[in-house]
């Protein structure tokens, strides 16, 4: 009964096991498509079930003379004879898979004088695809960020456009994601470069193909070639990371400039408000004279027709003088202090002294050099 239950459970698991849509490419670039269950696939490849889980977004591992790679959406298994692309039905991969990958695996466009093993071409094609994707994302973000910053960092603007800030925030998030992906890519390659055994394990044909083994013993070090290949793409990722870092620094500097411009305009508005407050104070101070004449008290002054114009003139003149005085007081306290005065005698004597000191130093150095030359001769 237990045996029957176990067989039934295994049959149930086999029936519900995931099915991979597989794209197979051989050394000549020939392509075949098929679907296969996960259990059947890892048994044919001599792998374990955990090897085809692809838990990490980016990884390069070797198992039983197989290279298991994942570059975000791309899942691949490399053998010395063929390349398997798992779950290839993705809109982001179609152009590369059907138009570029086959020619790269066939060895077209190689710069070396001898043909590299198949796994070299497969690894290089996958790494090139990943770097091109990262480069495309950076090329898309860079002009958008520069255009947004140019619109924001304008000293003539009294306010900041909220829509531009929203665009800059979205681009900043995309830039952070790109920096994270580049960091993971570099760490993945650097982890292999730090271990010579891992580099040796990536050279699959060295242990299966006698011809490749003879080439490695005759002077062509395939492990060194693999190391140079990985270092090349590590440097490309490092260059992209530097460009992304420069964009990040540019965004931070632009934010500082935006804050400085806003503070400057805020100071102008505060100064204008203070000036208007001073003017209001001056008018209200001399407006007391008009209040005094507006009381219902009899005097001999209201009978004179010239008193109105005299009192009005005194009010406006006094208010203007007080406002002018307050503005001059404000200007003296807001202007930056002048640099300390340097006497003309010091200005003339100091450069001469420095010039003489420099000449003496040069003479001493020249004399020392000539003396050492004579001694050597």
């Amino acid at each position: 009964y237990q045996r029957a239950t176990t067989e039934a459970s295994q049959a149930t698991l086999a029936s519900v096991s995931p099915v991979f849509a597989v794209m197979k490419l051989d050394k000549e670039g020939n392509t075949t498509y098929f679907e296969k269950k996960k259990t059947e696939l890892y048994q044919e490849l001599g792998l374990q079930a955990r090897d085809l889980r692809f838990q990490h977004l980016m990884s390069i591992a070797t198992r039983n003379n197989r290279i298991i790679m994942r570059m975000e959406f791309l899942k691949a298994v490399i053998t010395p004879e063929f390349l398997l692309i798992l779950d290839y039905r993705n809109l982001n991969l179609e152009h590369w898979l059907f138009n570029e990958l086959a020619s790269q695996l066939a060895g077209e466009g190689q710069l070396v004088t001898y043909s590299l093993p198949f796994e070299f071409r497969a690894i290089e094609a996958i790494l090139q695809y990943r770097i091109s994707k990262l480069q495309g994302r950076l090329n898309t973000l860079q002009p958008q960020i520069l255009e947004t910053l140019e619109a924001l960092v304008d000293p003539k603007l009294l306010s900041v456009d909220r829509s531009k800030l929203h665009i800059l925030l979205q681009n900043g998030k995309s830039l952070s994601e790109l920096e994270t992906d580049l960091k993971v890519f570099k760490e993945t390659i650097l982890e292999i470069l730090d271990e010579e055994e891992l580099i040796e394990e990536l050279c699959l044909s060295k242990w299966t193909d006698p011809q490749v083994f003879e080439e490695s013993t005759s002077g062509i070090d395939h492990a060194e070639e693999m190391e140079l290949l990985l270092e090349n793409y590590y440097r490309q990722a490092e260059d992209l990371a530097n460009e992304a870092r420069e964009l990040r620094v540019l965004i931070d500097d632009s934010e500082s400039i935006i804050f400085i411009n806003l503070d400057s305009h805020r100071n102008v508005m505060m100064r204008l408000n203070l000036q208007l407050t001073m003017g209001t104070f001056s008018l209200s101070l001399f407006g007391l004279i008009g209040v005094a004449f507006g009381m219902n008290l009899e005097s001999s002054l209201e009978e004179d027709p010239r008193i109105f114009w005299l009192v009005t003139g005194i009010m406006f003149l006094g208010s203007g003088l007080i406002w002018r005085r307050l503005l001059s007081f404000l200007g003296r306290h807001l202007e930056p202090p002048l640099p300390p005065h340097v006497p003309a005698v010091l200005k003339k004597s100091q450069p001469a002294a420095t010039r003489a000191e420099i000449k003496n130093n040069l003479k001493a150095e020249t004399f020392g050099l000539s003396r050492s030359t004579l001694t050597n001769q």
Side-chain angles (χ1 to χ4, degrees), residues 81-115:
E81 295 81 16
F82 55 85
L83 167 66
L84 299 180
I85 304 295
L86 309 181
D87 294 336
Y88 66 93
R89 294 170 181 171
N90 192 313
L91 296 177
N92 297 325
L93 301 176
E94 285 185 353
H95 177 75
W96 174 69
L97 289 175
F98 297 109
N99 298 331
E100 300 178 9
L101 181 58
S103 60
Q104 292 177 357
L105 294 178
E108 298 179 5
Q110 288 189 6
L111 300 179
V112 293
T113 56
Y114 54 90
S115 61

Coordinates of all heavy atoms in Angstrom, one line a residue, residues 81-115:
E81 N 28.5 20.9 -26.5 CA 28.0 20.7 -27.8 C 26.8 21.7 -28.2 O 26.6 22.0 -29.4 CB 27.5 19.3 -28.0 CG 28.6 18.2 -27.9 CD 28.9 17.9 -26.5 OE1 28.1 18.3 -25.6 OE2 30.0 17.3 -26.2
F82 N 26.1 22.1 -27.2 CA 24.9 23.0 -27.6 C 24.6 23.9 -26.4 O 25.1 23.8 -25.3 CB 23.7 22.1 -27.9 CG 23.3 21.1 -26.8 CD1 22.5 21.4 -25.7 CD2 23.8 19.8 -26.9 CE1 22.2 20.5 -24.7 CE2 23.5 18.9 -25.8 CZ 22.7 19.2 -24.8
L83 N 23.7 24.8 -26.7 CA 23.2 25.8 -25.8 C 21.7 25.7 -25.7 O 21.0 25.7 -26.7 CB 23.6 27.2 -26.2 CG 22.9 28.4 -25.5 CD1 23.3 28.5 -24.1 CD2 23.2 29.7 -26.2
L84 N 21.1 25.7 -24.5 CA 19.7 25.6 -24.3 C 19.2 26.9 -23.6 O 19.8 27.3 -22.6 CB 19.3 24.4 -23.3 CG 19.7 23.0 -23.8 CD1 19.3 22.0 -22.7 CD2 19.0 22.7 -25.1
I85 N 18.2 27.5 -24.3 CA 17.6 28.7 -23.7 C 16.2 28.3 -23.2 O 15.4 27.8 -24.0 CB 17.5 29.8 -24.8 CG1 18.8 30.2 -25.4 CG2 16.8 31.1 -24.2 CD1 19.8 30.8 -24.4
L86 N 16.0 28.4 -21.9 CA 14.8 28.0 -21.3 C 13.8 29.2 -21.2 O 14.2 30.3 -20.9 CB 15.1 27.4 -19.9 CG 16.1 26.4 -19.8 CD1 16.3 25.9 -18.4 CD2 15.8 25.2 -20.7
D87 N 12.5 28.9 -21.4 CA 11.5 29.9 -21.3 C 11.8 31.1 -22.2 O 11.8 32.3 -21.7 CB 11.2 30.4 -19.9 CG 10.7 29.2 -19.0 OD1 10.0 28.3 -19.6 OD2 10.9 29.3 -17.8
Y88 N 12.1 30.8 -23.4 CA 12.5 31.9 -24.4 C 11.4 32.7 -24.9 O 11.7 33.7 -25.6 CB 13.3 31.2 -25.6 CG 12.4 30.4 -26.5 CD1 11.8 31.0 -27.6 CD2 12.1 29.1 -26.2 CE1 11.0 30.2 -28.4 CE2 11.3 28.3 -27.0 CZ 10.7 28.9 -28.1 OH 9.9 28.1 -28.9
R89 N 10.2 32.4 -24.6 CA 9.0 33.1 -25.2 C 8.9 34.4 -24.4 O 8.0 34.6 -23.5 CB 7.8 32.3 -25.1 CG 7.8 31.1 -26.1 CD 6.7 30.1 -25.8 NE 6.8 29.0 -26.7 CZ 6.0 27.9 -26.6 NH1 5.1 27.9 -25.6 NH2 6.2 26.9 -27.4
N90 N 9.7 35.4 -24.7 CA 9.7 36.6 -24.0 C 9.9 37.7 -25.0 O 10.8 37.6 -25.9 CB 10.8 36.7 -22.9 CG 10.7 37.9 -22.0 OD1 10.4 39.0 -22.4 ND2 10.8 37.7 -20.7
L91 N 9.1 38.8 -25.0 CA 9.2 39.8 -26.0 C 10.5 40.5 -26.0 O 11.0 41.1 -27.0 CB 8.1 40.9 -25.7 CG 6.6 40.3 -25.9 CD1 5.6 41.4 -25.6 CD2 6.4 39.8 -27.3
N92 N 11.2 40.5 -24.8 CA 12.5 41.2 -24.7 C 13.6 40.4 -25.3 O 14.7 40.9 -25.5 CB 12.8 41.5 -23.3 CG 11.8 42.5 -22.7 OD1 11.3 43.4 -23.3 ND2 11.5 42.3 -21.4
L93 N 13.4 39.1 -25.6 CA 14.5 38.3 -26.1 C 14.3 37.9 -27.6 O 15.2 37.3 -28.2 CB 14.5 37.0 -25.3 CG 14.8 37.1 -23.8 CD1 14.7 35.8 -23.1 CD2 16.1 37.8 -23.5
E94 N 13.2 38.1 -28.2 CA 12.9 37.6 -29.5 C 13.9 38.1 -30.5 O 14.4 37.3 -31.3 CB 11.5 37.9 -29.9 CG 10.4 37.1 -29.2 CD 9.0 37.3 -29.7 OE1 8.9 38.3 -30.5 OE2 8.1 36.6 -29.3
H95 N 14.1 39.4 -30.6 CA 15.0 40.0 -31.6 C 16.4 39.4 -31.5 O 17.0 39.0 -32.5 CB 15.0 41.5 -31.5 CG 16.0 42.2 -32.4 ND1 15.7 42.3 -33.8 CD2 17.2 42.7 -32.2 CE1 16.7 42.9 -34.4 NE2 17.6 43.2 -33.5
W96 N 16.9 39.3 -30.3 CA 18.3 38.8 -30.1 C 18.4 37.3 -30.4 O 19.3 36.9 -31.0 CB 18.7 39.1 -28.6 CG 20.0 38.5 -28.3 CD1 21.3 38.9 -28.7 CD2 20.3 37.4 -27.4 NE1 22.3 38.1 -28.2 CE2 21.7 37.2 -27.3 CE3 19.5 36.6 -26.6 CZ2 22.3 36.2 -26.5 CZ3 20.0 35.7 -25.8 CH2 21.4 35.5 -25.8
L97 N 17.4 36.6 -29.9 CA 17.4 35.1 -30.1 C 17.4 34.7 -31.6 O 18.1 33.9 -32.1 CB 16.3 34.4 -29.4 CG 16.4 34.4 -27.8 CD1 15.1 33.8 -27.2 CD2 17.6 33.6 -27.4
F98 N 16.5 35.4 -32.3 CA 16.3 34.9 -33.7 C 17.2 35.6 -34.7 O 17.3 35.2 -35.9 CB 14.8 35.2 -34.1 CG 13.8 34.4 -33.2 CD1 13.1 35.0 -32.3 CD2 13.8 33.0 -33.4 CE1 12.2 34.2 -31.5 CE2 12.9 32.2 -32.6 CZ 12.1 32.9 -31.6
N99 N 17.8 36.7 -34.4 CA 18.6 37.5 -35.4 C 20.1 37.6 -35.1 O 20.8 37.7 -36.0 CB 18.0 38.9 -35.5 CG 16.6 39.0 -35.9 OD1 16.1 38.1 -36.6 ND2 15.9 40.0 -35.5
E100 N 20.5 37.4 -33.8 CA 21.9 37.6 -33.5 C 22.6 36.4 -32.9 O 23.8 36.2 -33.1 CB 22.0 38.8 -32.5 CG 21.5 40.1 -33.1 CD 21.6 41.3 -32.1 OE1 22.2 41.1 -31.0 OE2 21.0 42.4 -32.3
L101 N 21.8 35.7 -32.0 CA 22.5 34.6 -31.3 C 23.1 33.5 -32.1 O 24.2 33.1 -31.9 CB 21.5 34.1 -30.2 CG 22.0 33.0 -29.3 CD1 23.2 33.4 -28.5 CD2 20.9 32.5 -28.4
A102 N 22.3 33.1 -33.2 CA 22.8 32.0 -34.0 C 24.1 32.3 -34.7 O 25.0 31.5 -34.8 CB 21.7 31.6 -35.0
S103 N 24.2 33.5 -35.2 CA 25.5 33.9 -35.9 C 26.6 34.0 -34.9 O 27.8 33.7 -35.3 CB 25.2 35.3 -36.6 OG 24.9 36.3 -35.7
Q104 N 26.4 34.5 -33.7 CA 27.4 34.6 -32.7 C 27.9 33.2 -32.3 O 29.1 33.0 -32.1 CB 27.0 35.4 -31.5 CG 26.7 36.8 -31.8 CD 26.2 37.5 -30.6 OE1 25.9 36.9 -29.5 NE2 26.0 38.8 -30.7
L105 N 27.0 32.3 -32.2 CA 27.4 30.9 -31.8 C 28.2 30.2 -32.9 O 29.0 29.3 -32.7 CB 26.2 30.1 -31.4 CG 25.5 30.5 -30.1 CD1 24.3 29.7 -29.8 CD2 26.5 30.5 -28.9
A106 N 27.9 30.6 -34.2 CA 28.6 29.9 -35.3 C 30.0 30.4 -35.5 O 30.7 29.9 -36.3 CB 27.8 30.2 -36.6
G107 N 30.4 31.4 -34.7 CA 31.8 31.9 -34.7 C 32.0 33.0 -35.6 O 33.2 33.3 -35.9
E108 N 31.0 33.7 -36.1 CA 31.1 34.9 -37.0 C 31.6 36.1 -36.2 O 31.1 36.4 -35.1 CB 29.8 35.2 -37.7 CG 29.3 34.0 -38.6 CD 28.0 34.4 -39.2 OE1 27.6 35.5 -39.1 OE2 27.4 33.5 -39.9
G109 N 32.6 36.8 -36.8 CA 33.1 38.0 -36.2 C 34.1 37.8 -35.1 O 34.4 38.7 -34.3
Q110 N 34.8 36.7 -35.0 CA 35.8 36.5 -34.0 C 37.1 37.2 -34.4 O 37.4 37.3 -35.5 CB 36.1 35.0 -33.8 CG 35.0 34.2 -33.1 CD 35.5 32.8 -32.8 OE1 36.6 32.5 -33.0 NE2 34.6 32.0 -32.3
L111 N 37.7 37.7 -33.4 CA 38.9 38.5 -33.6 C 40.2 37.7 -33.3 O 41.3 38.2 -33.5 CB 38.9 39.7 -32.7 CG 37.8 40.7 -32.8 CD1 37.9 41.9 -31.9 CD2 37.7 41.2 -34.3
V112 N 40.1 36.5 -32.9 CA 41.3 35.7 -32.6 C 41.7 34.8 -33.8 O 40.8 34.6 -34.7 CB 41.0 34.8 -31.4 CG1 40.9 35.6 -30.1 CG2 39.8 33.9 -31.6
T113 N 42.9 34.4 -33.9 CA 43.4 33.6 -35.1 C 43.0 32.2 -35.0 O 43.0 31.5 -36.0 CB 44.9 33.7 -35.1 OG1 45.5 33.3 -33.9 CG2 45.3 35.2 -35.4
Y114 N 42.6 31.7 -33.9 CA 42.2 30.3 -33.8 C 40.7 30.3 -33.2 O 40.3 31.2 -32.6 CB 43.1 29.5 -32.8 CG 43.2 30.2 -31.5 CD1 42.4 29.8 -30.4 CD2 44.2 31.1 -31.2 CE1 42.5 30.4 -29.2 CE2 44.4 31.7 -30.0 CZ 43.5 31.4 -29.0 OH 43.7 32.0 -27.8
S115 N 40.0 29.2 -33.5 CA 38.6 29.1 -33.1 C 38.5 28.7 -31.6 O 39.2 27.7 -31.2 CB 37.9 28.0 -33.9 OG 38.5 26.8 -33.8

